[in-house]
């Protein structure tokens, strides 16, 4: 009978990565386990329910008996409130109508080509050349609407970030109508170019806006990762062999890739950095072990990389991808799988405790408070090439670690002996009292 194989690393069932509605797409902790499509459907359903409740409340207010003066004042107040709500709701409607208003054919024929400012001239130039190569009558309309959408959204920097996200996602869906006559490859390239041009131009407007709490959550995440600096690869059961130089090279490349994510502007470029980071992690795992890498190995290694490097503005970058990336990339495919695992790694770090690292609650608190520090092992190939001072330091650290373990064992034995002594004292006392009760003096 074969022995039961224990899961390595941080265990996550494959079903936990999928959407809660069982639609077949990847879910995400940021969307409460739903995919982007189901999450947006949930939000729209809630908005419709809120609007329905508001209409019911308005109907109840209108049926209430009032005096003539009070009714007149109430009517004026209701009109003012309705006007305010109508203006607020019309922002989205007017913006959408303005963007999708069909321009006259003469205006389309005289349409100037897109000429974004630096540093997006290269992307817009590629986009324009690609549009020219298609030779379709709707190409100029697509180009015009992209340019108009960018300008209008830049003119409204104070919009709520969720409203900005809804506008961009609606733009992706509405403009896809013009791709019906294109091949699948041309359609995918068109979506890539449109997303890259739009989001590169809108990056300063929509990334980490003042209306959101992204900046505050970035600081909270950085402080959390700094507080967990003591977590070692052994605690996470990372299967990467640090004694193999090739594995360490891939590990360093994965760190460089995830740091570079913050320098990119387009969501697809940030996702490409996550994909490169994940690819290097898989390579490091395969070099370290002859066995194929599994999901648990990858997730624990990804958590180790995030804790090791503390990526800048991690929360803001993840939210930016969620809000403005084309949903198809996050719902399916290899890149969507990598991004879902990164979100799971961040969620694990936020909720990390003693049991998740096979530690007791007391040990976890001692590490967090700095009363206990794990001794990190240097890779053997680095020690051989290191200076005599570093080699002696490593030996001293190993000696201190052994002394600490001996001291912990002695203290544990002393506490155990003390407990046994008090138990023996209580038992003797109980026997004496029992003897006195049986044979009183």
């Amino acid at each position: 009978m074969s022995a039961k194989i224990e899961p390595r690393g941080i265990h996550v069932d494959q079903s936990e990565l999928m959407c809660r509605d069982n639609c077949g797409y990847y879910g995400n902790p940021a969307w409460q386990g739903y995919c982007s499509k189901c999450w947006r459907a949930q939000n729209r359903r809630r908005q419709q329910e809120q609007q329905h409740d508001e209409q019911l409340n308005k109907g109840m207010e209108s049926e209430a008996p009032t005096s003539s003066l009070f009714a007149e004042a109430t009517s004026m107040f209701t009109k003012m409130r309705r006007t305010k709500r109508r203006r607020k709701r019309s922002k989205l409607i007017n913006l959408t109508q303005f963007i999708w208003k069909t321009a006259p054919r003469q205006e389309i024929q005289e349409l100037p080509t897109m000429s974004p400012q630096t540093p997006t001239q290269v992307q817009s130039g590629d986009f324009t050349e690609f549009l020219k190569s298609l030779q379709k009558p709707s190409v100029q309309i697509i180009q015009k609407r992209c340019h108009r959408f960018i300008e209008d959204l830049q003119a409204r920097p104070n919009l709520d970030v969720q409203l900005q996200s809804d506008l961009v996602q609606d733009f992706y869906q509405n403009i896809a109508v013009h791709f019906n006559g294109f091949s699948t490859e041309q359609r995918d390239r068109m979506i890539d170019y449109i997303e890259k041009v739009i989001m590169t131009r809108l990056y300063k407007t929509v990334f980490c806006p003042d209306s959101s709490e992204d900046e505050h959550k970035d600081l909270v995440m950085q402080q959390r990762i700094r507080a967990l600096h003591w977590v070692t690869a052994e605690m996470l059961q990372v299967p990467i062999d640090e004694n193999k130089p090739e594995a360490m090279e891939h590990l360093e490349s994965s760190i460089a890739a995830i740091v570079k994510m913050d320098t990119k502007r387009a969501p697809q470029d940030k996702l490409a950095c996550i994909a490169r980071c994940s690819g290097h992690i898989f390579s490091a795992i395969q070099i370290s072990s002859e066995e194929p890498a599994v999901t648990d190995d990858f997730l624990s290694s990804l958590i180790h990389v995030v804790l090791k490097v503390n990526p800048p503005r991690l929360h803001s970058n993840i939210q930016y991808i969620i809000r403005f990336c084309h949903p198809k990339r996050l719902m399916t495919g290899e890149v969507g799988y990598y991004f879902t695992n990164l979100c799971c790694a961040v969620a694990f770090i936020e909720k990390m405790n003693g049991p998740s690292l096979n530690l007791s609650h007391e040990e976890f608190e001692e590490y967090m408070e700095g009363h206990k520090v794990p001794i990190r092992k240097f890779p053997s190939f680095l020690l051989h090439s290191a200076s005599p001072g570093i080699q002696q330091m490593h030996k001293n650290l190993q000696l201190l670690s052994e002394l600490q373990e001996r001291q912990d064992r002695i203290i544990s034995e002393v506490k155990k002996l003390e407990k046994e002594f008090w138990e023996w004292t209580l038992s003797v006392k109980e026997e004496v009292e029992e003897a006195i009760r049986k044979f009183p003096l």
Side-chain angles (χ1 to χ4, degrees):
M1 183 175 180
S2 60
K4 184 179 179 180
I5 301 175
E6 295 294 334
R8 304 191 302 263
I10 307 301
H11 179 64
V12 173
D13 193 355
Q14 185 69 18
S15 60
E16 298 177 12
L17 303 178
M18 309 308 292
C19 178
R20 289 173 56 183
D21 277 355
N22 298 323
C23 62
Y25 296 119
Y26 289 122
N28 196 291
W31 297 320
Q32 299 180 4
Y34 293 100
C35 68
S36 61
K37 183 179 179 181
C38 297
W39 175 246
R40 294 189 70 197
Q42 292 278 346
N43 284 338
R44 289 178 177 176
R45 194 177 300 115
R46 283 194 291 266
Q47 291 175 1
Q48 292 175 357
E49 292 176 356
Q50 291 177 358
Q51 292 178 358
H52 180 68
D53 294 340
E54 290 179 359
Q55 292 176 357
L56 290 178
N57 293 332
K58 290 179 182 178
M60 294 175 62
E61 290 177 359
S62 62
E63 294 176 0
T66 56
S67 62
S68 59
L69 293 176
F70 183 75
E72 184 178 357
T74 303
S75 177
M76 293 178 62
F77 177 76
T78 304
K79 289 181 179 179
M80 292 174 61
R81 188 170 59 181
R82 289 178 179 176
T83 303
K84 186 176 180 181
R85 290 177 179 173
R86 194 180 301 113
R87 290 176 179 175
K88 187 175 181 181
R89 289 196 300 267
S90 65
K91 288 182 179 180
L92 177 59
I93 299 173
N94 293 337
L95 181 58
T96 306
Q97 291 177 350
F98 176 76
I99 293 170
W100 293 105
K101 184 178 180 182
T102 304
R105 183 161 300 277
Q106 182 179 1
E107 181 184 355
I108 295 176
Q109 292 176 355
E110 299 173 356
L111 175 67
T113 58
M114 294 179 63
S115 56
Q117 300 176 355
T118 55
T120 61
Q121 289 178 352
V122 176
Q123 289 88 340
S124 63
D126 295 341
F127 180 55
T128 305
E129 293 299 325
F130 177 67
L131 291 176
K132 291 179 180 179
S133 66
L134 295 178
Q135 297 180 354
K136 295 285 184 177
S138 59
V139 165
Q140 290 181 329
I141 300 177
I142 296 172
Q143 190 178 15
K144 178 70 173 180
R145 288 179 175 175
C146 289
H147 189 49
R148 183 182 294 176
F149 178 80
I150 293 170
E151 287 185 339
D152 201 80
L153 204 59
Q154 284 178 335
R156 299 168 179 261
N158 296 325
L159 284 178
D160 181 73
V161 63
Q162 187 58 46
L163 181 57
Q164 292 175 338
S165 174
D166 292 340
L167 286 172
V168 172
Q169 297 296 334
D170 290 340
F171 183 81
Y172 291 153
Q173 292 183 3
N174 294 331
I175 206 169
V177 177
H178 300 278
F179 306 157
N180 294 332
F182 300 148
S183 64
T184 303
E185 181 181 358
Q186 289 177 334
R187 190 183 302 112
D188 293 340
R189 287 185 63 191
M190 180 72 77
I191 292 176
D192 290 343
Y193 277 121
I194 288 175
E195 178 190 312
K196 192 163 189 174
V197 171
I198 289 176
M199 296 317 304
T200 304
R201 292 281 302 276
L202 294 175
Y203 179 76
K204 292 183 178 180
T205 305
V206 300
F207 183 82
C208 193
D210 296 335
S211 60
S212 68
E213 298 182 354
D214 292 346
E215 185 176 0
H216 171 69
K217 292 183 178 180
D218 281 332
L219 295 175
V220 173
M221 176 58 63
Q222 287 184 357
Q223 293 173 357
R224 174 65 173 175
I225 294 177
R226 289 196 196 103
L228 295 170
H229 66 91
W230 50 268
V231 178
T232 62
E234 290 78 13
M235 293 178 180
L236 294 170
Q237 300 181 13
V238 177
I240 298 177
D241 188 357
E242 296 183 351
N243 293 321
K244 294 184 177 181
E246 297 84 1
M248 292 301 296
E249 289 179 1
H250 281 288
L251 186 62
E252 293 172 359
S253 298
S254 67
I255 291 174
I258 198 170
V259 169
K260 196 174 181 180
M261 175 179 63
D262 189 55
T263 64
K264 302 298 182 180
R265 292 195 172 195
Q268 57 188 269
D269 293 337
K270 293 182 182 291
L271 284 174
C273 293
I274 296 174
R276 284 196 296 271
C277 171
S278 303
H280 285 297
I281 290 176
F282 272 110
S283 298
I285 295 174
Q286 291 174 355
I287 292 173
S288 302
S289 176
E290 297 179 356
E291 299 178 1
V294 296
T295 304
D296 298 340
D297 292 340
F298 170 66
L299 183 58
S300 60
S301 302
L302 183 59
I303 294 171
H304 175 60
V305 169
V306 173
L307 291 176
K308 194 178 183 67
V309 68
N310 197 354
R313 299 192 294 184
L314 179 60
H315 174 82
S316 293
N317 281 291
I318 290 177
Q319 290 301 315
Y320 176 75
I321 294 172
I322 289 174
R323 293 165 182 159
F324 302 107
C325 181
H326 193 276
K328 181 180 178 181
R329 290 193 185 89
L330 306 183
M331 294 163 61
T332 58
E334 188 176 0
V335 176
Y337 173 78
Y338 292 150
F339 181 74
T340 301
N341 275 272
L342 178 60
C343 295
C344 292
V346 172
F348 179 84
I349 291 173
E350 291 176 341
K351 300 177 182 179
M352 187 181 294
N353 54 17
S356 60
L357 297 175
N358 296 322
L359 299 174
S360 64
H361 178 71
E362 292 76 12
E363 288 178 317
F364 183 82
E365 292 300 326
E366 287 179 356
Y367 281 122
M368 291 293 291
E369 295 173 0
H371 300 315
K372 193 173 183 180
V373 180
I375 303 299
R376 300 181 183 273
K377 297 180 180 180
F378 289 93
S380 58
F381 72 93
L382 290 178
L383 285 175
H384 293 315
S385 60
S387 62
I390 295 180
Q391 294 180 1
Q392 184 62 38
M393 181 187 68
H394 180 65
K395 293 179 181 179
N396 294 338
L397 289 174
Q398 287 183 331
L399 180 60
L400 288 173
S401 177
E402 294 174 0
L403 292 174
Q404 181 69 38
E405 292 177 358
R406 290 175 59 186
Q407 184 179 4
D408 292 341
R409 286 198 300 269
I410 292 173
I411 293 175
S412 177
E413 292 296 330
V414 168
K415 290 181 179 180
K416 182 179 179 181
L417 181 61
E418 184 180 7
K419 182 180 178 181
E420 292 177 353
F421 173 76
W422 283 109
E423 291 177 351
W424 176 78
T425 303
L426 291 175
S427 64
V428 171
K429 183 178 179 181
E430 291 175 356
E431 291 178 359
V432 171
E433 291 176 353
E434 183 66 22
I436 293 174
R437 282 196 299 269
K438 290 183 178 179
F439 307 101
L441 296 176

